[in-house]
Amino acid sequence: MARNEEKAQSMLNRFITLKAEEKKKPKERRPYLASECRDLAEASKWRQQIMGEIGRKVAEIQNEGLGEHRLRDLNDEINKLIREKVHWERRIVELGGPNYAKHAPKMTDLDGNIIDVPNPSGRGPGYRYFGAAKKLPGVRELFEKPPELRKRRTRYDIYKRIDASYYGYRDDEDGVLEKVEAPAEQKMRAEAVAEWKRMEEIRKEARRAVKSGEVVKAKEVLFEEEEEVVEEERQRERELQDRSEREKEFVVHVPLPDDKEIEKMVLEKKKKELLSKYTSDGLLEEQSEAKQMLNIQR
């Protein structure tokens, strides 16, 4: 019995293999542009082929030991395949097929939270990061959430929450404050009345002492504020005396002009000003000489 290598090299086996390869169809290549495909089934087949390639490369990019350059190249290839997949999905929709873009997976960060895909250009699906590429230098910062800045409240926001209760206008509505403050209020009122009566007695004694001009011996020792009250009473008496002296009738020893004389003097002054303004000195002298000749006193 011949060995397997001899069987493979035999003329008959090589002839059968050649005929089988001739019967096979030539391997089809995926069209460069999705718009060149006119069949829905073929478009779905090319999409599935791209999905398989993406799956293999995503599994490969999970290995962190590949190195930074290889990880970046794999991530670029995956993003290129994703853009191509989007073109085929659009073509499938144009040919009357289902819309696969509605159920596309979302991009997640290292903690598994869904985030927005970085897309500065605003076109296409945006650039995504997969597997170990998320931990590359400069990429990790994209997934970190910026610290929340505490918004400073404006003056409008502060005053918007202020109402009557802030100023204490509603403290008496429940009735608790009145019950607590009532005994203290009565005590303070009684002390204030007693203090006022004592000060009134001191004021009366001070008035009598100021009027009589004698020193009155008080029954109690005067404190500082009581002495101030006595001093105030004396000051008030002095002011009253000064005011009465000023209000005495003032006797005029010089005759004062009445209203008619004052009006006449003002009129004469205005006449002189007008004459000096519109006449010369020679004309004024001639006028005065004529008045003397005619005996006119005006």
Side-chain angles (χ1 to χ4, degrees):
M1 185 175 180
R3 294 191 298 271
N4 291 334
E5 291 139 5
E6 293 175 354
K7 288 181 181 180
Q9 295 297 331
S10 66
M11 185 68 71
L12 180 59
N13 288 331
R14 281 186 289 172
F15 178 75
I16 293 171
T17 304
L18 184 60
K19 288 293 183 182
E21 289 179 358
E22 288 179 358
K23 290 180 181 180
K24 287 183 179 179
K25 294 181 179 179
K27 190 175 181 180
E28 293 181 301
R29 292 186 61 183
R30 187 168 63 240
Y32 182 74
L33 296 176
S35 58
E36 295 177 358
C37 182
R38 305 294 180 183
D39 188 13
L40 178 60
E42 288 186 2
S44 300
K45 182 184 70 172
W46 298 129
R47 178 183 174 275
Q48 289 296 330
Q49 185 183 18
I50 295 171
M51 292 287 291
E53 294 178 10
I54 292 173
R56 287 192 296 272
K57 291 185 182 295
V58 168
E60 185 180 357
I61 204 174
Q62 303 299 324
N63 186 5
E64 297 182 8
L66 294 176
E68 180 180 349
H69 297 291
R70 178 57 182 161
L71 289 174
R72 290 187 185 276
D73 291 341
L74 276 173
N75 202 75
D76 292 340
E77 292 173 6
I78 293 171
N79 278 276
K80 184 178 179 181
L81 290 172
I82 288 174
R83 287 195 296 271
E84 191 174 352
K85 179 177 71 73
V86 170
H87 294 320
W88 283 105
E89 288 176 352
R90 290 176 184 167
R91 184 58 180 166
I92 289 171
V93 173
E94 291 174 0
L95 294 174
N99 187 3
Y100 296 103
K102 288 184 178 180
H103 308 289
K106 304 294 182 181
M107 185 176 178
T108 58
D109 57 6
L110 295 173
D111 299 328
N113 301 319
I114 297 174
I115 60 173
D116 296 331
V117 180
N119 189 9
S121 64
R123 296 176 298 176
Y127 194 87
R128 298 167 180 259
Y129 292 91
F130 299 89
K134 294 180 180 179
K135 300 180 182 179
L136 292 174
V139 179
R140 185 186 294 270
E141 289 77 8
L142 296 175
F143 297 96
E144 292 179 357
K145 294 182 180 179
E148 295 183 2
L149 297 176
R150 188 175 180 182
K151 187 179 179 182
R152 186 176 180 181
R153 290 193 300 170
T154 60
R155 188 179 294 273
Y156 172 74
D157 296 332
I158 295 172
Y159 285 129
K160 187 169 63 176
R161 301 185 180 183
I162 294 177
D163 53 4
S165 59
Y166 175 82
Y167 295 101
Y169 294 135
R170 296 178 181 171
D171 294 344
D172 301 335
E173 292 182 357
D174 53 0
V176 177
L177 192 62
E178 293 181 0
K179 295 179 182 179
V180 176
E181 290 183 349
E185 184 179 354
Q186 293 177 1
K187 182 180 178 182
M188 291 174 64
R189 188 173 294 176
E191 291 176 357
V193 170
E195 181 68 18
W196 180 80
K197 289 180 179 179
R198 189 171 69 85
M199 297 301 292
E200 281 297 318
E201 291 294 331
I202 294 171
R203 286 193 182 93
K204 288 179 182 178
E205 292 181 6
R207 291 193 192 99
R208 287 197 295 268
V210 171
K211 288 179 181 179
S212 61
E214 298 176 358
V215 178
V216 179
K217 293 182 180 180
K219 296 179 181 179
E220 302 177 350
V221 179
L222 298 178
F223 296 100
E224 289 184 2
E225 58 181 27
E226 297 171 355
E227 292 177 358
E228 290 177 0
V229 172
V230 175
E231 188 64 30
E232 287 178 4
E233 292 296 332
R234 290 177 179 173
Q235 187 69 22
R236 194 178 300 167
E237 290 291 336
R238 291 195 199 98
E239 290 177 358
L240 291 174
Q241 290 178 3
D242 294 341
R243 190 179 301 169
S244 61
E245 289 178 0
R246 289 194 212 99
E247 290 176 355
K248 288 180 181 179
E249 186 177 358
F250 181 73
V251 179
V252 181
H253 300 284
V254 179
L256 297 175
D258 55 359
D259 295 341
K260 291 183 179 180
E261 292 179 357
I262 292 172
E263 186 178 353
K264 185 177 179 182
M265 292 169 63
V266 170
L267 187 61
E268 288 292 334
K269 187 177 181 181
K270 288 183 178 181
K271 284 182 179 180
K272 288 180 180 180
E273 289 177 357
L274 291 172
L275 287 172
S276 63
K277 187 175 181 181
Y278 296 105
T279 57
S280 60
D281 295 337
L283 185 62
L284 289 174
E285 290 177 359
E286 291 177 1
Q287 186 179 2
S288 61
E289 290 176 0
K291 285 182 178 181
Q292 289 177 3
M293 291 173 65
L294 296 173
N295 198 15
I296 299 173
Q297 299 297 328
R298 291 186 302 175

